[in-house]
Each structure stands twice: as C-alpha cells, then as structure tokens.
Amino acid sequence: MSISRIYTGGCQCGAVRYRAEGTLADPHLCHCRMCQKAAGNYFMPLANAPRASFRITRGEPSWFYSSEVARRGFCAACGTPLFYDMPGADFINIVLGSLDDPYDVRPLKQSGVESRVPWFSHLPGLPGGETDAGNKAGAERHLAILESNRQHPDFDTEHWPPEEET
Ligand SMILES: [Zn+2]
Ligand SMILES: [Zn+2]
C-alpha cells in the first residue's frame, strides 16, 4: 500500500529542514558498513522520496561523497545524518529517524545484512527503562535536559531558535 502525503523533517538543531510529498518508497534498514559509519549507529533507516516533490525548506545540508556513486547529506551544525543521495536518480533517500514523525514509516526490509551486528536480534530484549525512571539523580538530570532543550521541535517553525524574551 502506498499513501501520497506530505512528510517533513530535519536535523536536531533545526538548521536544515526538508519536505517531501508523495510516497516514501522502499523503507528499509541498511546494515552496510558505510551506513553504520555514516549513522554512527548499527544501521541506517532509509526510504526514498520522489526528487521532483522533495525540497530543502531551511538551510543547506553539507555533503560527503562517500563514493563516486553517492553522497550523504548531514547538518554541519549539529551532525544529524539526513540524506543518502545518488545524484541523477529521480529520488532521494531520507534518513527516517530525522522525520518529524519517525513512527510514520515502518521499515519493510533490510539490506547490507553481511555487516549486520550479530546480536541485532537481541537488542529489543536488553534490560531498560524509561528516560526519567529509576533514581533521583537521573530524574533531576532528565528535568535539566527538558528545561534547557535546544532540539528543534518536530514541526516546521517560523523562527528558530525562538527569540529570547527580554
Ligand atoms: Zn542541525
Ligand atoms: Zn548502506
């Protein structure tokens, strides 16, 4: 099933924002070593948007040509990986964690599985808890993070960062 609609997203600091209209096709996790390195993570979640309906709505990403075939777009200010792009293709891949609603697009397959970390399937079973659960120090730290949070909200903004009140 494919749904034509508008997707927005951007980097953590908000310097780079984008918008795609249509369908985010081929949602997948890429485990290849280049995606691991580019994500600083064990895999890169990607789906592609039609280039014709894709645009950068704020700022400009920086690009690293990880090969002659593809370049990777990221925010130079905060480092968020945003795009995997093969110039000339009629689509551009979006890093799905940068969507304003990351629950929106569900991966349907995996690629680069030769590099997949061998304990990948064990990850959901690791012991864990919610961010502010546990001890007092953790709860206080979490509150301090919330009160000084500089992460761009998950929607387009007129001005960012918000103007300081005087
Ligand atoms: Zn940024
Ligand atoms: Zn990859």
Side-chain angles (χ1 to χ4, degrees):
M1 190 181 68
S2 62
I3 303 163
S4 181
R5 38 154 297 190
I6 292 167
Y7 297 89
T8 58
C11 66
Q12 185 173 25
C13 80
V16 181
R17 298 277 304 163
Y18 61 83
R19 178 185 193 276
E21 199 169 339
T23 301
L24 293 189
D26 190 29
H28 69 281
L29 307 181
C30 186
H31 299 272
C32 87
R33 183 61 192 136
M34 291 180 91
C35 282
Q36 287 176 339
K37 199 75 173 174
N41 206 328
Y42 303 131
F43 60 87
M44 182 87 87
L46 294 166
N48 66 73
R51 191 183 299 279
S53 69
F54 170 85
R55 62 192 170 87
I56 303 290
T57 54
R58 179 182 287 163
E60 280 298 329
S62 290
W63 296 98
F64 172 62
Y65 280 80
S66 51
S67 69
E68 288 188 10
V69 177
R71 58 181 190 163
R72 295 171 185 271
F74 59 96
C75 175
C78 72
T80 303
L82 295 168
F83 312 114
Y84 175 83
D85 184 35
M86 291 176 282
D90 61 0
F91 59 84
I92 180 168
N93 277 282
I94 290 172
V95 179
L96 296 176
S98 72
L99 288 170
D100 285 335
D101 183 359
Y103 297 171
D104 219 12
V105 181
R106 186 171 167 173
L108 297 176
K109 69 171 198 187
Q110 306 175 72
S111 60
V113 296
E114 69 282 356
S115 304
R116 185 171 55 199
V117 292
W119 25 260
F120 180 68
S121 65
H122 298 284
L123 296 179
L126 296 176
E130 294 186 7
T131 306
D132 56 357
N135 55 64
K136 188 160 173 279
E140 282 172 2
R141 185 173 57 244
H142 184 47
L143 187 63
I145 289 170
L146 290 178
E147 286 175 348
S148 62
N149 180 6
R150 298 193 187 109
Q151 178 162 297
H152 189 276
D154 285 329
F155 50 81
D156 286 325
T157 50
E158 283 292 321
H159 304 284
W160 189 260
E163 275 125 63
E164 297 285 331
E165 290 190 34
T166 49

